[in-house]
Amino acid sequence: MMENLIWGYVYPNEAEIQWSILIVLYPYITGLVAGAFIASSLYHVFGKKEIKPVARFALLTALSFLLVATMPLLTHLGRPERGIEIMFTPHVTSAMSGFGYIYSFYLIVVVLEIWLSFREDIVKNALNSRGWKELLYSALALFSYDISEKALHDDEKLAKRLAIIGIPSAAFLHGYVGFIFGGIKANPWWSTPLMPLIFLMSAIVSGIALLILLYIIAMKLRKHAIDHKCLHSLAHYLWIFLILDVTLEMLEIISMKYESLEEIEIINRLLSDKIATTFYGVQLTMGIFIPFVLLLLVGMIKNRETLKMIMISISSVFVLIGVFAMRWNVVIGGQEISKSLSGTLTYVPVFFSKEGVLPAIVILTIPFIILIVVTYILPPWKDMEEEPERNPDK
Amino acid sequence: MEISRREFTKIGCRVIIGAAAGTAVIESLVTNGSAAGESPKGEYDWNEHYWGFVVDTKKCIGCGRCANACKLENKVPFDEPVYRTWVERYRVLRGGEVKIDSPNGSIDGFTDDIPAEDIKKAFYVPKICNHCDNPPCVQVCPVGATYETKDGVVLVDYDYCIGCRYCIQGCPYGARYFNTEKRTADKCTWCYHRITKGLLPACVQACPVGARKFGDLKDPDSAVNKILDEERINVLKPDLGTKPKVYYVGLDREVR
Amino acid sequence: MNGREPLLLNGEKIMQPHLKRAFTLLALVIIAFIFVRSLVVPQSFGQYGWYRGDSVNEIKNFQVEYAGSAACGEENCHKTIYSVWAKDRHKTVNCETCHGPSEEHVGNVRIMPPPANDSRDYCGLCHFKRAARPANFPQIDPETHGENLKCTYCHNPHKPWFI
């Protein structure tokens, strides 16, 4: 069986693929975090008022996914119990060693940002509830209940500063994940200085798409009117970042093919054989081209909000699948070519195993559960209920 | 009132420096004074040696005794497809096609499955960790669980490795593998437990034709230096700047 | 650490108490982290470089398995066969290549290494005709040479041309 999976010559130690589907999941999840955070800062930093309805929800989404970002990594480690060493003795020359600190810093920024934007609600809840709820909200308020205008003003100022710090750290959190791959000179499919930028752009794209979908689903569940201005604005940003994303991805492939270095033969085989479907089919056509056209149409069609919403939803789903395929093509694709440049391997995902598909599905489900719990404790929709906007469609 | 940007930066810097200084102070309290030049206890002084390895591909007969001895000496899982050293066979066919293989890392030897008249040229190439002077595996290890010793050997700390396998991805030569028993990365040590006792690495000792030579680059009369002084040598993938310390005699352009 | 924090927010005025609490909490977490780190990181880490210095000695102390041919000829144990072997063409083949790793046997003669592998295929690992072998290396065609008998039937492995 092994023989059929291997073509040409691979180094004997390469017979097994080392980074499994869990490592595909890891950049996918951090990408969603970075994207959701950057979407929220469109409001918090750049003052894009039309994003306001989802700004706080975007922060909670970022937190929910951030909390599980370490899970695929820890599950994958041979010695998970030693994982904390990355915090205690980070080796500075390693692109991976930054993970612990960048992650922690970013977690602090996101938690503080959420705390500041929800503090008014937390304090009000603490004062108006009894029993365990009172205790919970009081603890969240750090037993300090000042919500005078002055206090809230200070909070807002700090929140804005944090968001300003947050953007580069979100970009860094994900850009460095790209560098983990881009900095590996041993692997010609990974080694490109464009990798961090490609990762960042696809992160933003996937984060916005996730936010759009979660927003639509949440509104449907709450039987609340969708703010179409907000939705279209998000769709607009999604479209812009899609263009940046595809430009960089194409630039990488084109320059690789044009320069035709030693490794071009094996890269061509990778693209035309191993990952042809997931690359040309899913990543480029489904994940970029179709959403690009659909979103373009959304921009041109007048009225017909329901149709536009459906088109935006489809685009978002496709983008999310496409970005997952992109992560797959990088992480798995890069390992399917031998570093001998003379052969290829095939990764066959196992369903039930420590590094199989099942744990991947479980890990990808957890953030949604966290999100449900967090939105229950800290409802992010308050702004909308104060100024209800009835949708003519409903 | 709004504070000026300069002030903001200044404060930020002070906080960072303060935290760094705090860490440094606490660290100096708990760690012993480190003496970088010292050698680990014992008779062997790692400052006196700098090891190197020469492979003469023109001598190799592909018997695979090196790979076999290595697995036994270093207790490498025998029935798993993991190897600290292996022998590759290159066969350039008359049509120009190049066939490369290394069945079971050469431990069971090779059998001719292509008729001799179809082969233009054929040869064996032993492979082993290059113990690079600029090792990409050490560079990428996130926790400091792999390192280059003062005498030029790249080792893995099996009690510290977290098993992330980034080093396996980082090695351009496929010299590293994941040890499923230890659940850590693993690789050739140039038999560090032997060479520090004055013995040769197991693969060098096992080679019946002297295709593998091991010696001290600091000793001008060592077996390795004699060859390096006379022969035209090359290293694998020199363009990657890893500065390997395994030197090859008679390396073909097909070998990567 | 806390004394500086108020400036982060407001040049002249004192920081809001809830922010003060939040930053104190953060500072406590960081201090706790530094403290735990100082306890957990091994003593020898950083002794020689960014790694655990003790691991060098741990690796140095691994068990040796192959004693080397010299150990066999020492102390009159296998002196006769050693001197035969040492003068003939197979002197480049280490004893343990056929007889198996024997460091344990050298330390304690009661522990016997496994019997030498004298099968035809084992000799063939070196001596069967193979296209990739250097042409001047002694090779036989297993189809035509030796009628599928054990090589040791004719050849003495310690003195191969002695028939």
Side-chain angles (χ1 to χ4, degrees):
Chain A
M1 186 182 157
M2 283 293 262
E3 302 304 316
N4 304 330
L5 300 179
I6 293 174
W7 171 87
Y9 176 66
V10 306
Y11 292 132
N13 286 332
E14 286 181 321
E16 204 161 316
I17 298 252
Q18 297 296 338
W19 282 358
S20 62
I21 187 166
L22 290 179
I23 304 299
V24 178
L25 209 56
Y26 159 65
Y28 190 58
I29 290 177
T30 54
L32 294 173
V33 175
F37 187 87
I38 286 170
S40 96
S41 41
L42 284 174
Y43 166 71
H44 283 116
V45 180
F46 301 107
K48 303 283 175 203
K49 286 271 184 308
E50 59 275 22
I51 308 281
K52 196 180 175 190
V54 290
R56 296 210 301 180
F57 182 61
L59 282 176
L60 295 185
T61 310
L63 178 69
S64 308
F65 279 85
L66 192 58
L67 289 175
V68 294
T70 53
M71 275 188 186
L73 290 183
L74 278 174
T75 319
H76 166 264
L77 287 186
R79 293 281 189 171
E81 75 277 13
R82 296 179 187 164
I84 192 69
E85 286 167 9
I86 212 166
M87 295 292 288
F88 290 148
T89 58
H91 189 215
V92 283
T93 61
S94 169
M96 201 185 268
S97 71
F99 173 74
Y101 283 92
I102 298 170
Y103 175 86
S104 310
F105 179 76
Y106 188 61
L107 187 65
I108 292 168
V109 170
V110 171
V111 167
L112 269 179
E113 182 85 25
I114 289 176
W115 186 64
L116 292 171
S117 11
F118 282 89
R119 217 179 59 84
E120 192 183 349
D121 302 0
I122 295 172
V123 171
K124 280 180 183 162
N125 272 320
L127 296 176
N128 297 333
S129 51
R130 287 278 163 271
W132 66 271
K133 267 193 167 176
E134 184 188 4
L135 197 67
L136 172 73
Y137 286 110
S138 303
L140 284 177
L142 299 177
F143 305 100
S144 172
Y145 309 98
D146 183 5
I147 44 169
S148 62
E149 207 164 294
K150 172 81 187 63
L152 290 179
H153 180 68
D154 279 3
D155 283 1
E156 204 173 300
K157 249 171 37 183
L158 182 60
K160 189 171 177 185
R161 283 201 188 128
L162 276 173
I164 294 173
I165 303 171
I167 296 173
S169 52
F172 200 55
L173 176 75
H174 205 66
Y176 111 91
V177 176
F179 190 75
I180 285 184
F181 298 97
I184 292 297
K185 61 185 170 191
N187 192 319
W189 180 237
W190 289 348
S191 174
T192 156
L194 286 178
M195 203 57 105
L197 285 173
I198 294 176
F199 265 61
L200 191 57
M201 287 310 140
S202 52
I204 296 173
V205 162
S206 68
I208 296 176
L210 177 75
L211 200 57
I212 290 175
L213 274 184
L214 287 176
Y215 175 64
I216 292 174
I217 293 169
M219 289 301 107
K220 291 286 168 204
L221 286 176
R222 295 173 65 239
K223 301 204 176 8
H224 197 284
I226 285 168
D227 182 336
H228 287 285
K229 221 172 142 201
C230 171
L231 191 64
H232 291 166
S233 175
L234 284 174
H236 180 66
Y237 288 114
L238 180 59
W239 189 73
I240 290 173
F241 283 110
L242 266 180
I243 297 174
L244 291 172
D245 188 27
V246 75
T247 309
L248 290 168
E249 280 175 21
M250 288 295 92
L251 187 59
E252 188 207 346
I253 297 293
I254 290 169
S255 59
M256 223 178 237
K257 293 221 177 203
Y258 190 81
E259 288 183 4
S260 285
L261 297 173
E262 191 187 15
E263 62 265 16
I264 191 65
E265 281 174 40
I266 200 74
I267 298 282
N268 280 338
R269 181 167 270 272
L270 178 74
L271 286 173
S272 64
D273 179 27
K274 307 304 292 184
I275 60 169
T277 339
T278 48
F279 186 76
Y280 295 112
V282 186
Q283 181 181 338
L284 291 184
T285 311
M286 185 178 175
I288 292 175
F289 182 70
I290 297 176
F292 175 81
V293 174
L294 282 178
L295 293 174
L296 197 65
L297 289 175
V298 167
M300 294 195 298
I301 296 172
K302 296 254 153 38
N303 300 321
R304 310 195 62 179
E305 299 298 346
T306 319
L307 176 71
K308 285 204 270 187
M309 190 196 72
I310 291 170
M311 284 162 74
I312 293 174
S313 310
I314 294 173
S315 307
S316 303
V317 172
F318 279 16
V319 163
L320 282 173
I321 297 172
V323 171
F324 186 82
M326 180 263 169
R327 307 289 189 243
W328 176 279
N329 292 333
V330 171
V331 177
I332 301 297
Q335 295 178 88
E336 284 190 332
I337 53 172
S338 166
K339 285 180 279 195
S340 70
L341 307 182
S342 311
T344 58
L345 309 93
T346 306
Y347 171 62
V348 183
V350 193
F351 194 80
F352 298 102
S353 89
K354 188 176 139 256
E355 294 185 28
V357 180
L358 184 65
I361 293 172
V362 171
I363 288 171
L364 201 50
T365 320
I366 298 172
F368 294 100
I369 298 169
I370 297 178
L371 187 60
I372 291 170
V373 174
V374 175
T375 44
Y376 178 74
I377 299 172
L378 302 172
W381 312 112
K382 210 198 72 183
D383 310 347
M384 297 190 63
E385 278 156 10
E386 278 173 355
E387 31 184 320
E389 240 180 81
R390 285 287 153 243
N391 187 347
D393 280 12
K394 290 200 107 185
Chain B
M1 276 289 112
E2 188 80 30
I3 58 157
S4 74
R5 198 155 294 175
R6 230 182 93 217
E7 220 172 330
F8 184 73
T9 333
K10 225 164 75 185
I11 295 156
C13 288
R14 258 195 275 163
V15 171
I16 292 166
I17 292 166
T23 320
V25 168
I26 291 173
E27 202 166 316
S28 66
L29 287 176
V30 292
T31 47
N32 302 340
S34 64
E38 263 176 48
S39 183
K41 284 179 215 84
E43 289 161 32
Y44 176 80
D45 184 1
W46 67 0
N47 293 310
E48 287 172 7
H49 304 278
Y50 197 70
W51 300 109
F53 202 107
V54 172
V55 174
D56 190 339
T57 60
K58 290 186 283 188
K59 284 184 180 162
C60 180
I61 57 169
C63 64
R65 294 310 83 207
C66 45
N68 187 67
C70 172
K71 278 216 173 184
L72 294 175
E73 174 71 33
N74 295 296
K75 294 160 197 84
V76 179
F78 207 90
D79 299 318
E80 283 178 41
V82 291
Y83 309 88
R84 293 187 179 195
T85 183
W86 65 95
V87 180
E88 295 171 352
R89 171 170 61 178
Y90 288 74
R91 288 178 292 183
V92 185
L93 306 188
R94 296 235 175 263
E97 195 192 344
V98 185
K99 287 262 184 200
I100 315 167
D101 62 352
S102 182
N104 192 20
S106 77
I107 288 176
D108 310 322
F110 293 87
T111 44
D112 277 355
D113 49 3
I114 297 173
E117 53 271 22
D118 293 349
I119 298 172
K120 192 153 64 179
K121 96 178 154 179
F123 51 90
Y124 297 108
V125 179
K127 291 278 186 81
I128 189 169
C129 169
N130 284 287
H131 293 270
C132 305
D133 211 15
N134 182 19
C137 54
V138 173
Q139 182 188 36
V140 302
C141 176
V143 297
T146 186
Y147 52 92
E148 190 183 357
T149 58
K150 292 263 152 33
D151 41 357
V153 181
V154 178
L155 298 175
V156 178
D157 181 347
Y158 305 108
D159 289 339
Y160 209 68
C161 173
I162 61 174
C164 72
R165 294 166 241 187
Y166 197 21
C167 56
I168 302 179
Q169 306 290 1
C171 174
Y173 306 101
R176 283 176 171 254
Y177 60 91
F178 187 70
N179 188 321
T180 45
E181 286 164 11
K182 296 175 186 156
R183 288 185 284 133
T184 65
D186 207 346
K187 68 180 282 297
C188 161
T189 63
W190 270 352
C191 285
Y192 200 66
H193 60 297
R194 294 177 64 89
I195 61 173
T196 50
K197 295 184 182 92
L199 299 167
L200 283 172
C203 60
V204 176
Q205 184 176 283
C207 182
V209 291
R212 290 166 178 253
K213 296 278 184 223
F214 181 80
D216 194 343
L217 296 170
K218 280 190 179 171
D219 172 9
D221 298 324
S222 70
V224 167
N225 270 332
K226 269 186 192 152
I227 301 171
L228 293 186
D229 291 347
E230 285 170 14
E231 297 282 346
R232 296 163 193 211
I233 52 139
N234 204 349
V235 293
L236 294 170
K237 300 187 181 180
D239 52 317
L240 293 182
T242 53
K243 298 187 186 148
K245 293 200 291 286
V246 174
Y247 305 98
Y248 281 84
V249 178
L251 200 61
D252 193 84
R253 62 173 176 163
E254 301 295 347
V255 182
R256 287 195 198 96
Chain C
M1 282 200 84
N2 260 334
R4 302 191 195 107
E5 303 289 10
L7 292 167
L8 260 176
L9 236 212
N10 243 319
E12 313 95 64
K13 283 166 198 165
I14 299 160
M15 187 197 270
Q16 296 286 345
H18 62 276
L19 293 180
K20 215 169 174 177
R21 278 188 198 177
F23 286 118
T24 313
L25 198 64
L26 186 59
L28 284 176
V29 169
I30 292 171
I31 290 166
F33 168 78
I34 295 171
F35 177 70
V36 171
R37 182 192 180 278
S38 68
L39 292 180
V40 172
V41 172
Q43 288 277 303
S44 72
F45 200 95
Q47 197 178 353
Y48 311 113
W50 198 256
Y51 58 94
R52 207 170 50 90
D54 285 350
S55 94
V56 180
N57 271 330
E58 288 165 19
I59 292 170
K60 259 190 336 210
N61 292 335
F62 282 170
Q63 175 73 40
V64 168
E65 297 290 334
Y66 281 86
S69 301
C72 310
E74 275 168 11
E75 298 183 35
N76 285 328
C77 292
H78 305 288
K79 211 161 194 170
T80 323
I81 196 78
Y82 183 88
S83 58
V84 171
W85 165 84
K87 280 189 219 110
D88 216 277
R89 284 194 69 177
H90 265 174
K91 64 176 179 246
T92 57
V93 185
N94 186 48
C95 302
E96 290 156 300
T97 299
C98 301
H99 292 278
S102 306
E103 173 70 21
E104 270 192 322
H105 169 72
V106 170
N108 178 356
V109 290
R110 285 191 199 164
I111 302 172
M112 293 301 289
N117 191 339
D118 60 351
S119 72
R120 189 173 160 88
D121 281 343
Y122 197 72
C123 301
L125 284 177
C126 294
H127 293 294
F128 283 173
K129 180 118 192 88
R130 296 281 178 256
R133 261 177 202 149
N136 59 358
F137 187 79
Q139 301 165 61
I140 58 116
D141 182 350
E143 303 293 320
T144 57
H145 181 101
E147 293 170 352
N148 225 10
L149 287 165
K150 256 192 185 180
C151 308
T152 49
Y153 194 80
C154 301
H155 301 274
N156 178 350
H158 298 108
K159 205 171 188 288
W161 299 127
F162 182 81
I163 297 182

